Amino acid sequence: MKKLILDLDTGIDDALAISYALGSPEVELIGITGTYGNVLLDQGVRNALAVTDLLGHPEVPVYKGLPHSSTTDSFSVLDISAFIHGRNGIGDVSIPDSPREPETGSAVDFIIDAAKTYGEDLVYVPTGPMTNIAAALAKAPEIKDEIGRIVLMGGALTVPGNVNAWTEANISQDPEAADALFRSGARVTMIGLDVTLRTLLTYKETARWRELGTKAGTFLADMTDYYIKAYETTSPHLGGCGLHDPLAVGVAVDPTLVSTLALNMKVDVAGATRGRTIGDEKRLNEPATTTDVAVGVDVPRFLDEFMTRITTLAAHAA
Ligand code: BDR
Ligand code: CA
């Protein structure tokens, strides 16, 4: 069985990513490492603990990661993030705090230890800024060859960004970290806006969760309705909300959900296009590619997997 680490800035689609992972018998969620982005680090960690409890999985350890990029002194949540995810990150829905605390060890050391313990069997899925994995690779560069696969949510190759015309939110928070990851030699699959804005959820699906009558079903429905409503303002042309982070988990579980382009990637870290994810012209002719960029997705199959797994989980949780 594959071992999974989710590295989350636990907002709404991150919470749906947790749900997808916990609803997937093919993988064992061995830990969540916290990052910043949709919310501050501490709020994201609080949300990860509370959501795993509510979904009936208090055994999942949660680690605190780094609170901001290495190129900044601090981090503040963008207004647009608070608008899309709510002030508390989970659609301003109130759920009980977990009685648990985050683990005492650091997220960076947990990632390094897991790479050494599980090697090929480890899939690491970052769905916020790449700050923690970049720090882990800086501390223990050899893990690039040890981690089985990294499936990241972030970037945009064939479509515009969502922060501005060329950058996506997770990459924009720490372009240097994402660039270091792409250049590290680790095996990476990039799940960017190219595919995540094709996998959309509507009120029709969230109604199914509410009808379950469980606390978990009601929470997922209320939280996701907040997100769908925000998308009605920010992206009315889509007709639903983007399932960014759950798609990365879906691909971690079953890589055949997407078609990919093998391309050595880089992130622009200077100049007007800072934060752009694009092919690295200097490594274009290298015989080996380490990054696969998702450019196509089997939308009906993913949505079916998404609904089946999460609805089953929510039906049997509290
Ligand atoms: C990404 O940014 C965050 O707001 C979401 O959780 C997702 O990981 C989408 O650009
Ligand atoms: Ca996220």
Side-chain angles (χ1 to χ4, degrees):
M1 192 192 284
K2 291 277 177 208
K3 310 289 179 185
L4 189 70
I5 296 176
L6 298 180
D7 191 292
L8 309 174
D9 55 334
T10 304
I12 296 176
D13 60 326
D14 304 76
L16 294 173
I18 295 176
S19 310
Y20 195 111
L22 292 174
S24 298
E26 303 91 334
V27 294
E28 182 192 353
L29 181 57
I30 60 164
I32 293 173
T33 48
T35 186
Y36 61 93
N38 296 322
V39 285
L40 297 178
L41 170 69
D42 284 345
Q43 181 69 35
V45 166
R46 179 266 167 204
N47 290 347
L49 288 164
V51 169
T52 45
D53 278 8
L54 186 71
L55 295 174
H57 285 274
E59 78 284 3
V60 178
V62 178
Y63 294 83
K64 264 191 180 189
L66 297 161
H68 56 78
S69 76
S70 65
T71 57
T72 54
D73 296 334
S74 63
F75 172 77
S76 313
V77 176
L78 297 174
D79 287 344
I80 184 68
S81 305
F83 179 78
I84 292 177
H85 296 270
R87 289 271 155 212
N88 74 352
I90 47 174
D92 289 340
V93 178
S94 175
I95 57 171
D97 280 326
S98 171
R100 295 183 289 148
E101 292 289 328
E103 304 299 311
T104 46
S106 82
V108 170
D109 288 338
F110 173 67
I111 294 165
I112 294 170
D113 289 349
K116 300 201 172 292
T117 306
Y118 300 112
E120 274 295 309
D121 290 333
L122 180 66
V123 187
Y124 171 79
V125 180
T127 73
M130 308 300 143
T131 309
N132 290 331
I133 184 66
L137 284 162
K139 188 168 178 184
E142 69 280 6
I143 63 168
K144 75 177 171 53
D145 298 317
E146 295 171 352
I147 298 180
R149 181 156 280 273
I150 296 173
V151 183
L152 71 84
M153 191 285 132
L157 181 65
T158 62
V159 295
N162 58 2
V163 171
N164 56 38
W166 57 89
T167 188
E168 180 278 333
N170 290 339
I171 305 296
S172 78
Q173 310 279 19
D174 194 346
E176 282 80 4
D179 189 51
L181 173 59
F182 282 139
R183 293 173 189 276
S184 69
R187 284 160 290 175
V188 173
T189 302
M190 175 177 132
I191 306 296
L193 301 178
D194 313 271
V195 282
T196 65
L197 288 178
R198 298 185 210 178
T199 51
L200 304 165
L201 206 71
T202 70
Y203 296 122
K204 196 168 133 235
E205 286 85 29
T206 59
R208 281 177 56 195
W209 292 338
R210 191 168 287 104
E211 282 160 16
L212 294 172
T214 60
K215 279 187 191 152
T218 305
F219 163 65
L220 290 174
D222 289 350
M223 174 185 75
T224 310
D225 282 357
Y226 185 102
Y227 190 54
I228 297 171
K229 194 153 183 13
Y231 266 72
E232 286 171 0
T233 303
T234 59
S235 312
H237 57 282
L238 289 177
C241 65
L243 296 175
H244 309 285
D245 299 350
L247 182 58
V249 175
V251 174
V253 173
D254 179 359
T256 69
L257 283 169
V258 290
S259 52
T260 57
L261 175 71
L263 181 65
N264 285 321
M265 294 288 289
K266 69 170 187 179
V267 180
D268 289 346
V269 294
T273 57
R274 178 171 163 78
R276 177 174 68 155
T277 43
I278 190 136
D280 181 355
E281 73 281 9
K282 296 198 178 125
R283 292 186 298 146
L284 206 51
N285 296 312
E286 277 184 10
T289 45
T290 56
T291 305
D292 295 311
V293 182
V295 289
V297 53
D298 187 338
V299 176
R301 191 155 71 87
F302 171 69
L303 289 180
D304 187 50
E305 294 291 349
F306 175 89
M307 284 308 294
T308 305
R309 287 162 193 258
I310 296 184
T311 308
T312 306
L313 177 80
H316 296 102

